[in-house]
Amino acid sequence: MEPSAAKAKPQGRLLVSTPLDAKDELEERLERCIGIVQSLTNGLSEREANDALTANVCKGQQQHEEVCLGLFTLVLMEPAQAQRCYRDLTLVNRDGMNVVLVKINQILMEKFLKLQDVPRTQLVWLVRELVKSGVIGADGVLMTLMKQIAGGDISNKNLWLAESVLDILVEQKEWVVKSGMLVAMAVYTYLRLMVDHGTPNLLNLRQREVDFCISMLRERFMECVVIGRDLVRLLQIVARIPEMDLLWRDLLHHPQTLSPQFTGLLHLLTARTSRKFLACRLTPDMETKLLFMTSRVRFGQQKRYQDWFQRQYLSTAESQSLRCDLIRYICGVVHPSNEVLSSDILPRWAIIGWLLTTCTSNVAASNAKLALFYDWLFFSPEKDSIMNIEPAILVMHHSMKPHPAITATLLDFMCRIIPHFFPPLETQVRQGVFNSLNFIMEKRVLAHLAPLFDNPKLDRELRSMLRERFPEFCSSPSPPTEVKMEESAALEMDNHVLDKEEGCYDNTEAAFSDDEEEVNNKGKKREFRFHPIKEAIIEEPADITPYLDQLDDTMKEKVLLLQKASDTESQCEVMQDIVDLILEEDFDSEQMSTLASCLAELFKGHFRGDVLPDEITEESLEESVCKPVCLVFRNLCTMQEDNSGFSVLLDMLAELYQKQPKIGYHLLYYLKASKAAVGKMGLYESFAQATALGDLHTCLMMDMKACQEDDVRLLCYLTPSIYSEFPDETLRSGELLNMIVAVIDSTQLQELMCHVMMGNLVMFRKDSVLNILIQSLDWETFEQYSTWQLFLAHSIPMETIIPILQHLKYKEHPEALSCLLLQLRREKPSEEMVKMVLSRPCHPEDQFTSSLLRHWASKHDDVLSEHIKAQLIKNNNQPRKRQSLRSSSSKLAQLTLEQILEHMDNLRLSLSNTKNNFFSQTPILQALQHVQASCDEGHKMRFSDLFSLAEEYEESQSKPPKSRRKPPASSPRSRKGAAPPANNEEESVSSSASEEEDSKPKAPKRKRKGSSAVGSDSD
């Protein structure tokens, strides 16, 4: 099964490449090392060559590394010399092959897919030789090589690799068993791979894999126990193979025959599987793509990445088995930070839902569901993580509306797995699932499970089974739809997807934007937002029965009156009575939470739909804040902060906030829209400090995020007030700005710009604008353009943000570069601007610097020439550093002389076919003359055309016979007229041939003035 020989590449290249690919740095370095080895050994006998190599490696670390890497590369590229080069390598290396092991690992993790067939074959041969030699660290390399064997792939190359690694493991069994981790990793890998090798033509390979796994499991079982519960999952899948069936019988009935320390199946099932085992079944490329999707791709923009992943890895019938590996990896390894969870990054449950919907085989679908729920079955809050069980519940929760069939099949699976997973352990499995559900509620991943378990969209039989299995979770003692915000362990802020859940896995629903728009309109964020399908909302009557008994009689009476009140006016009257009861001295504060639950349930209709009137007038605004819940806000506004009732009402709002998080932005709206609240916006800060969050910034950002998702118009309406009232919270970072530009359309953008220009809104200030613009470089295209438009509406000098040029790369940041280009062309260049523009790396495709310099050269030639002259002379006088800007990508741009000269040469070429006389100006010519006098020969050769301008200038000055024959009387007069203006000099340099005789008499004076100016600058 060895891969077919590839066509020979010119110069025996290591990696597959196309004519368009840039030279690979690693390959380039390895080729240099080959050249060093060959230069040392050419024409020498084997003994002499070995002596020469040994002598060279003794000179220092660098020489040792070069020789070792040269021999290593020859092993990969020259099979005929491999044996001799490996022998030389073992003789000359001084670090236990460490430099070679590191390089092998690097190639395996980063370049393996690009290796040509011969180097790939030789790399496996080299690993085998390292194992034979017992090199310390070879086990790590072998595990990395195993990671490259892809699951669900029966292509010739993959089968050859699986067989080659198995050969090494079987041949070097005595060496293998010395490393417990290698034994466990190999067993885990080949138990998984034998699932793919069931076709008749692969039965021989599968039998070898079975024999190897059985021998390791029977002889080294305790080393395999460290795998944990996923060992049982893999053994279940291959249980029908006869040898595996016998092992299962011993595992269940005679565990002591496997190991005296093994107590039985429960021993394995209660042990959580380590991340390294779950990760070992994904190739580095798969792992990179999945991590990218879960950390960089925004929810709603994932389809193109999912399509690519499916084409690459999930398009064949055999790839069905890979879905289990992906789901286990996502559940057990990908644990996003709270920052990612609370953002709009693609959540884990959406990827898992997509994987489930692409299962076409019943067996694969069943195994995928088992992989999803596997950590539930024996979940222990003390040992296991909420992050392992969270994806399953969120897949079910968010699929209920758009894909009820997925929710139904998962709930059905969850119920049926309890008695059928392993009947003798039914009690433990039931307890594990119960623990999982309980922990999910405790951590507030979902506030309540009744809406999920007793949903009308589920068929009657399934709902009955759920009530029978989980009666504890089917009743609803509290409003079920809200989520407390203070629990952040796995909250995902409910992923902010109350709208987005409509289309989590595909774009087939009526509410989604077109796929083509996603590709072609990258920046139009609003195209990607998911809007609920417009359905008639069936208003269910508020159920406050569970809470009434916990209220005293007076309060109960008022709450019942509030429930019965039919019109807004009567509701407001009753609400005022309730507020008065709360403010009484004998009010029992223990009722506060219960009362808040009642109000949240009664007012849930007030939090649906748009808050802001369609037509904004004083009357419509005042009418919009005449709701019962606004009575609490109004009473708060009329009180003094030192009033005892003030803190009581704040506590009331804080309790209500926990039940209904939308109360936050409704309070902000009331404080802006109501006449009774003029000048009271500061009350929001007191409210924020009274909540469980206790922090103004966090509370404000969360409320604005909730507003962004519910009502974009309201977000834009509140924006000026939020920025003006809370500048320290809004202007320090780009968090709020990103929320705004992510959802506004072009009309709303224009309105915000008008607010800025009229002085009603300030979104940037000098001390933080640069940082915010740098943050915006990672945003979507439309978001970035909107940010720059809002910035340009402010009157902030360009010098404040010009250092951003050091962060901009022409391929990665075209939005910022194009906005800067258009703005800078309107500016008169300052010294700092010119310095920053010149400090950009020179690249043939990056026209930013050339186009801007050309524009400035035509509009502000005199100013530009002086600034360039200053930079040339300044950098010419600094010590030479032989370091190109492009070689230090991790550092910010540092201006070098070579860089300025490159940009100058590009400018010269762009002006060559024009009538522009920029390069005939005296300051430029003087500076070039100054640089030419002190630069090295390399620079003189490279920029010979540029320096030739200075030479012509020098020759035009130095014609002594004619100039000295002039009458002395003309000297003082010329000196007098030439001293003040420099323009006379420039005009004379660029004069026409017909005026040459007139200009020559002035040349000596120009030379004295020019050399003097250069001299003084250099001093």
Side-chain angles (χ1 to χ4, degrees):
M1 290 181 193
E2 196 158 324
S4 57
K7 292 181 181 179
K9 282 263 182 186
Q11 291 113 21
R13 295 187 61 177
L14 188 67
L15 306 176
V16 174
S17 62
T18 68
L20 298 177
D21 288 336
K23 186 82 171 175
D24 186 87
E25 290 183 13
L26 174 63
E27 185 176 17
E28 202 171 17
R29 187 188 177 202
L30 293 177
E31 286 176 354
R32 283 200 304 271
C33 294
I34 287 180
I36 291 169
V37 170
Q38 290 175 338
S39 67
L40 289 169
T41 58
N42 278 347
L44 302 179
S45 66
E46 285 192 15
R47 183 167 183 175
E48 290 171 335
N50 188 262
D51 290 343
L53 293 174
T54 304
N56 193 63
V57 299
C58 292
K59 292 179 180 178
Q61 178 63 32
Q62 183 181 346
Q63 289 79 2
H64 172 264
E65 191 170 321
E66 288 169 347
V67 169
C68 288
L69 291 181
L71 292 169
F72 159 69
T73 313
L74 284 170
V75 169
L76 298 188
M77 296 172 64
E78 304 292 343
Q81 301 179 38
Q83 198 68 52
R84 179 178 61 79
C85 290
Y86 179 72
R87 185 198 63 209
D88 291 344
L89 186 58
T90 58
L91 292 173
V92 303
N93 90 88
R94 296 286 185 271
D95 63 352
M97 293 282 195
N98 185 59
V99 67
V100 174
L101 294 174
V102 169
K103 201 55 63 180
I104 292 175
N105 266 321
Q106 183 185 352
I107 290 174
L108 286 173
M109 293 300 288
E110 300 173 9
K111 310 291 182 184
F112 188 77
L113 294 178
K114 291 186 176 181
L115 280 178
Q116 294 187 41
D117 286 349
V118 170
R120 183 187 288 108
T121 306
Q122 287 303 110
L123 186 62
V124 175
W125 177 87
L126 178 58
V127 173
R128 180 184 281 111
E129 293 302 309
L130 292 169
V131 170
K132 281 183 184 177
S133 305
V135 174
I136 296 173
D139 55 340
V141 169
L142 190 55
M143 285 189 275
T144 309
L145 184 60
M146 272 195 292
K147 187 175 171 67
Q148 285 290 353
I149 309 171
D153 181 0
I154 55 172
S155 63
N156 287 339
K157 285 183 179 180
N158 200 56
L159 291 172
W160 166 79
L161 183 59
E163 197 164 9
S164 300
V165 174
L166 184 61
D167 289 340
I168 297 173
L169 293 169
V170 173
E171 291 167 10
Q172 305 299 322
K173 185 177 175 182
E174 291 184 7
W175 174 83
V176 169
V177 296
K178 293 177 183 176
S179 170
M181 182 51 67
L182 178 58
V183 170
M185 199 71 77
V187 168
Y188 189 88
T189 297
Y190 282 95
L191 277 176
R192 165 65 188 88
L193 290 175
M194 66 177 70
V195 178
D196 301 329
H197 302 158
T199 54
N201 61 316
L202 299 177
L203 287 180
N204 287 337
L205 173 58
R206 190 178 81 170
Q207 190 57 48
R208 292 187 60 211
E209 292 169 340
V210 170
D211 294 341
F212 169 74
C213 290
I214 288 291
S215 69
M216 290 291 107
L217 285 165
R218 290 199 174 277
E219 297 168 21
R220 297 281 167 177
F221 188 74
M222 289 314 291
E223 278 90 337
C224 299
V225 166
V226 300
I227 296 172
R229 60 175 66 118
D230 274 81
L231 176 60
V232 179
R233 183 178 63 84
L234 293 178
L235 287 170
Q236 281 178 292
I237 297 173
V238 297
R240 294 184 182 276
I241 298 172
E243 294 87 343
M244 291 297 171
D245 183 52
L246 291 173
L247 181 73
W248 261 109
R249 293 175 189 275
D250 288 341
L251 194 65
L252 297 175
H253 306 299
H254 310 290
Q256 301 292 316
T257 59
L258 296 172
S259 171
Q261 291 86 35
F262 182 54
T263 57
L265 197 60
L266 203 57
H267 183 169
L268 277 170
L269 289 169
T270 53
R272 182 178 167 188
T273 298
S274 168
R275 292 181 173 200
K276 52 177 161 282
F277 292 108
L278 300 176
C280 81
R281 284 297 71 239
L282 268 64
T283 65
D285 189 56
M286 290 180 199
E287 200 169 359
T288 301
K289 300 296 187 299
L290 266 185
L291 290 174
F292 176 82
M293 287 169 69
T294 54
S295 63
R296 301 288 298 278
V297 176
R298 292 191 170 181
F299 190 27
Q301 301 175 16
Q302 71 268 29
K303 190 173 188 302
R304 74 183 81 167
Y305 303 101
Q306 290 175 347
D307 289 347
W308 182 93
F309 198 94
Q310 184 152 0
R311 283 195 305 273
Q312 191 79 3
Y313 297 114
L314 301 173
S315 58
T316 62
E318 307 80 39
S319 65
Q320 292 287 323
S321 62
L322 180 60
R323 286 163 174 77
C324 296
D325 302 331
L326 297 171
I327 290 172
R328 292 300 294 143
Y329 178 83
I330 292 168
C331 290
V333 180
V334 182
H335 290 176
S337 65
N338 284 330
E339 183 183 1
V340 173
L341 289 174
S342 61
S343 70
D344 57 356
I345 295 298
L346 179 64
R348 297 184 299 161
W349 61 261
I351 300 178
I352 290 174
W354 161 66
L355 290 171
L356 291 173
T357 58
T358 59
C359 283
T360 56
S361 152
N362 288 336
V363 174
S366 181
N367 288 334
K369 285 181 275 189
L370 181 63
L372 179 59
F373 282 104
Y374 206 63
D375 288 310
W376 288 52
L377 306 184
F378 296 90
F379 182 82
S380 168
E382 292 77 27
K383 296 180 184 177
D384 293 297
S385 167
I386 184 68
M387 299 299 278
N388 290 34
I389 61 174
E390 177 232 46
I393 197 71
L394 289 178
V395 170
M396 294 189 286
H397 173 69
H398 291 296
S399 300
M400 182 61 83
K401 273 190 179 181
H403 302 282
I406 289 180
T407 302
T409 189
L410 291 175
L411 287 171
D412 182 73
F413 182 87
M414 184 178 72
C415 290
R416 296 182 189 280
I417 197 70
I418 294 173
H420 295 123
F421 177 73
F422 184 49
L425 294 180
E426 181 180 351
T427 305
Q428 288 86 343
V429 175
R430 185 186 303 279
Q431 186 61 45
V433 174
F434 178 84
N435 288 343
S436 301
L437 293 170
N438 215 34
F439 204 52
I440 282 165
M441 288 182 61
E442 184 183 321
K443 291 296 181 184
R444 312 297 286 175
V445 179
L446 292 183
H448 206 269
L449 298 174
L452 182 63
F453 285 3
D454 200 17
N455 196 293
K457 290 192 175 184
L458 304 176
D459 64 71
R460 186 176 300 173
E461 183 185 349
L462 178 56
R463 290 164 69 184
S464 175
M465 183 162 56
L466 285 164
R467 280 195 292 269
E468 180 188 339
R469 292 267 194 271
F470 310 109
E472 307 89 343
F473 303 109
C474 289
S475 58
S476 179
S478 60
T481 56
E482 302 307 332
V483 181
K484 277 191 180 181
M485 291 302 180
E486 65 267 26
E487 292 286 348
S488 60
L491 181 58
E492 280 203 358
M493 309 297 264
D494 206 22
N495 274 307
H496 292 305
V497 290
L498 297 176
D499 292 342
K500 294 179 181 179
E501 66 191 25
E502 295 294 333
C504 25
Y505 316 131
D506 58 39
N507 283 347
T508 59
E509 299 293 330
F512 309 129
S513 59
D514 192 9
D515 297 338
E516 293 303 316
E517 291 176 355
E518 179 180 314
V519 176
N520 298 329
N521 298 319
K522 175 190 172 194
K524 295 185 180 177
K525 171 76 179 189
R526 299 183 78 225
E527 299 298 335
F528 300 126
R529 292 189 56 73
F530 294 88
H531 302 288
I533 298 171
K534 297 298 181 184
E535 297 175 350
I537 297 173
I538 301 171
E539 187 73 45
E540 296 180 2
D543 181 16
I544 57 172
T545 310
Y547 313 113
L548 289 175
D549 292 338
Q550 301 173 44
L551 299 173
D552 61 37
D553 293 340
T554 310
M555 186 63 77
K556 184 194 296 187
E557 181 185 346
K558 293 297 181 184
V559 170
L560 287 172
L561 280 174
L562 184 62
Q563 184 181 27
K564 291 174 185 175
S566 56
D567 60 286
T568 304
E569 187 176 346
S570 55
Q571 285 180 335
C572 288
E573 289 176 3
V574 178
M575 189 64 207
Q576 184 60 55
D577 293 340
I578 292 174
V579 171
D580 292 339
L581 286 175
I582 294 171
L583 295 175
E584 289 180 1
E585 291 184 8
D586 58 349
F587 176 70
D588 183 4
S589 59
E590 292 182 6
Q591 297 185 71
M592 195 75 83
S593 178
T594 307
L595 177 60
S597 297
C598 288
L599 296 177
E601 181 71 10
L602 291 172
F603 295 155
K604 60 185 179 183
H606 296 168
F607 296 102
R608 293 200 186 106
D610 294 339
V611 181
L612 196 63
D614 291 334
E615 186 178 346
I616 299 176
T617 63
E618 285 189 14
E619 292 77 15
S620 63
L621 287 175
E622 202 59 39
E623 186 180 346
S624 70
V625 294
C626 289
K627 295 177 181 178
V629 73
C630 295
L631 258 295
V632 184
F633 305 155
R634 186 179 301 170
N635 279 272
L636 205 59
C637 290
T638 59
M639 290 183 178
Q640 298 296 325
E641 292 192 20
D642 54 0
N643 189 319
S644 59
F646 184 82
S647 59
V648 174
L649 283 184
L650 282 179
D651 292 341
M652 178 69 222
L653 282 179
E655 287 290 342
L656 197 55
Y657 188 57
Q658 289 193 16
K659 319 297 180 187
Q660 175 54 273
K662 296 181 182 182
I663 202 79
Y665 72 77
H666 278 71
L667 173 59
L668 286 168
Y669 173 67
Y670 179 84
L671 294 173
K672 174 164 184 178
S674 174
K675 292 178 181 177
V678 175
K680 296 284 187 177
M681 188 63 80
L683 283 177
Y684 179 81
E685 184 171 357
S686 302
F687 161 74
Q689 290 166 355
T691 64
L693 297 169
D695 174 60
L696 174 59
H697 180 79
T698 307
C699 193
L700 182 63
M701 292 305 118
M702 284 175 53
D703 290 341
M704 295 304 283
K705 182 67 175 175
C707 180
Q708 177 221 40
E709 300 198 342
D710 289 348
D711 191 344
V712 176
R713 285 183 66 239
L714 178 58
L715 178 74
C716 295
Y717 176 76
L718 291 176
T719 293
S721 298
I722 299 302
Y723 270 96
S724 60
E725 292 292 337
F726 309 111
D728 290 338
E729 311 306 325
T730 53
L731 297 174
R732 286 183 301 179
S733 72
E735 189 176 354
L736 178 58
L737 178 64
N738 186 226
M739 286 183 209
I740 295 167
V741 296
V743 291
I744 59 174
D745 58 23
S746 51
T747 304
Q748 291 161 337
L749 171 63
Q750 191 260 345
E751 289 172 359
L752 289 176
M753 291 172 66
C754 291
H755 279 301
V756 172
M757 296 189 69
M758 289 190 295
N760 301 330
L761 173 61
V762 176
M763 303 181 80
F764 300 96
R765 61 185 182 195
K766 287 185 181 180
D767 60 347
S768 57
V769 61
L770 180 59
N771 287 332
I772 292 175
L773 290 177
I774 291 171
Q775 288 175 37
S776 74
L777 297 178
D778 294 326
W779 301 351
E780 294 298 323
T781 294
F782 183 76
E783 296 170 14
Q784 289 195 52
Y785 279 131
S786 300
T787 300
W788 279 96
Q789 295 279 24
L790 290 168
F791 164 74
L792 294 174
H794 292 69
S795 300
I796 298 177
M798 287 301 291
E799 282 84 354
T800 308
I801 59 109
I802 197 69
I804 198 176
L805 274 174
Q806 297 178 299
H807 299 265
L808 303 183
K809 298 176 182 176
Y810 75 98
K811 281 189 176 178
E812 296 176 24
H813 308 121
E815 300 91 346
L817 282 170
S818 58
C819 291
L820 269 174
L821 187 63
L822 292 175
Q823 186 60 21
L824 286 173
R825 74 190 295 271
R826 298 188 181 97
E827 302 279 331
K828 184 177 181 180
S830 66
E831 184 176 353
E832 184 66 15
M833 285 182 191
V834 173
K835 178 182 175 182
M836 286 297 170
V837 169
L838 290 174
S839 67
R840 289 188 58 72
C842 292
H843 193 282
E845 295 177 26
D846 184 4
Q847 300 294 320
F848 179 89
T849 301
S850 298
S851 58
L852 188 56
L853 289 178
R854 176 175 171 145
H855 176 79
W856 279 342
S858 64
K859 299 292 183 184
H860 308 284
D861 54 345
D862 52 343
V863 177
L864 181 62
S865 62
E866 289 293 344
H867 290 323
I868 291 179
K869 171 186 174 182
Q871 293 301 325
L872 274 170
I873 293 173
K874 180 179 178 182
N875 283 273
N876 188 46
N877 292 336
Q878 290 177 353
R880 293 280 186 273
K881 292 183 181 178
R882 297 192 60 81
Q883 174 185 337
S884 170
L885 176 72
R886 287 166 291 179
S887 68
S888 58
S889 58
S890 63
K891 298 179 181 177
L892 292 179
Q894 298 295 322
L895 187 57
T896 63
L897 176 64
E898 180 180 2
Q899 211 170 349
I900 302 174
L901 291 174
E902 283 187 46
H903 287 308
M904 293 288 289
D905 207 31
N906 290 338
L907 178 60
R908 178 187 62 80
L909 291 171
S910 72
L911 294 174
S912 57
N913 295 324
T914 69
K915 296 181 180 180
N916 191 295
N917 295 324
F918 180 76
F919 280 95
S920 62
Q921 295 183 93
T922 303
I924 292 292
L925 297 170
Q926 289 173 343
L928 288 174
Q929 190 178 356
H930 183 81
V931 172
Q932 185 185 22
S934 57
C935 71
D936 54 38
E937 290 301 320
H939 282 89
K940 287 180 181 177
M941 290 290 292
R942 183 176 174 187
F943 303 108
S944 56
D945 291 342
L946 197 59
F947 287 132
S948 66
L949 300 174
E951 290 169 2
E952 291 171 10
Y953 169 67
E954 188 174 5
E955 288 170 6
S956 71
Q957 294 176 344
S958 56
K959 301 208 175 176
K962 285 188 179 180
S963 62
R964 288 179 192 253
R965 276 199 296 268
K966 283 287 175 188
S970 67
S971 254
R973 196 167 60 248
S974 308
R975 208 175 288 121
K976 221 181 206 179
N983 288 336
N984 292 340
E985 300 170 5
E986 295 165 21
E987 287 168 11
S988 63
V989 170
S990 57
S991 60
S992 63
S994 63
E995 295 171 343
E996 188 176 354
E997 289 299 312
D998 293 334
S999 68
K1000 281 178 184 174
K1002 299 179 185 176
K1005 299 169 186 60
R1006 255 197 329 273
K1007 185 172 182 181
R1008 278 196 299 275
K1009 282 175 65 64
S1011 59
S1012 162
V1014 171
S1016 63
D1017 279 346
S1018 66
D1019 292 341

